[in-house]
Amino acid sequence: MADQSWVIILSVGFFIMALGFSAAIFFLIYASLEIRRAAAAFREFLKDTEDKIEPVLKETEQTLKSLRKVSDDVGIATGNVRELSDAAYEITENVKALSSIVHNVREGVSLRVFGIKAGVKAALEVLIKQLSSR
């Protein structure tokens, strides 16, 4: 009987082991099918995402090109404003120099006119003195 009990215990153990092994194989098959399904869904998601992102990338590229053009135009406009400012500064300097020259000429003419006036006045006084002394 002892031999039979060992056979029964071994048979039950073998049955449990076979059942566990079968369950493990069934689980691995199920898991591989689920992984395959998840991979297919992930591929589909990536394809859909790529299809949706492609127009956005093209639009972004066009926007960046437009921004680059606007930036270049702003740089040109800034250069033009700088040149205009430099020209206005030069005109201001020239006007200041011209004003200084006119001021100096006016002072020189004023002094000459004053000198001529004083000379004519002195000459008239001398002439009047001489005429009155005769």
Side-chain angles (χ1 to χ4, degrees):
M1 230 36 225
D3 288 336
Q4 259 187 350
S5 66
W6 277 108
V7 170
I8 292 174
I9 291 174
L10 286 175
S11 295
V12 170
F14 180 74
F15 178 74
I16 292 173
M17 199 167 66
L19 190 62
F21 186 69
S22 297
I25 288 176
F26 176 75
F27 175 75
L28 288 174
I29 291 172
Y30 178 75
S32 69
L33 290 175
E34 284 298 316
I35 289 172
R36 185 178 287 165
R37 224 179 284 147
F42 187 66
R43 272 193 295 267
E44 182 76 22
F45 170 76
L46 287 177
K47 185 178 180 291
D48 289 345
T49 303
E50 183 180 345
D51 291 343
K52 290 177 184 176
I53 286 179
E54 190 173 321
V56 172
L57 289 176
K58 286 182 180 178
E59 186 175 331
T60 303
E61 183 180 346
Q62 292 298 325
T63 302
L64 288 174
K65 285 180 182 176
S66 297
L67 285 175
R68 188 177 302 128
K69 185 174 180 344
V70 167
S71 174
D72 292 345
D73 290 346
V74 166
I76 290 169
T78 302
N80 290 343
V81 168
R82 187 177 300 122
E83 288 175 9
L84 181 65
S85 173
D86 291 345
Y89 178 76
E90 287 179 21
I91 289 172
T92 303
E93 290 299 314
N94 290 339
V95 167
K96 284 180 183 178
L98 185 62
S99 173
S100 176
I101 290 170
V102 167
H103 180 68
N104 290 341
V105 167
R106 193 170 55 186
E107 281 184 2
V109 168
S110 261
L111 290 176
R112 286 183 185 161
V113 167
F114 182 70
I116 291 173
K117 229 179 181 181
V120 169
K121 186 175 177 184
L124 283 176
E125 287 178 5
V126 169
L127 183 65
I128 292 176
K129 278 187 188 178
Q130 285 203 3
L131 286 176
S132 51
S133 51
R134 277 194 202 185

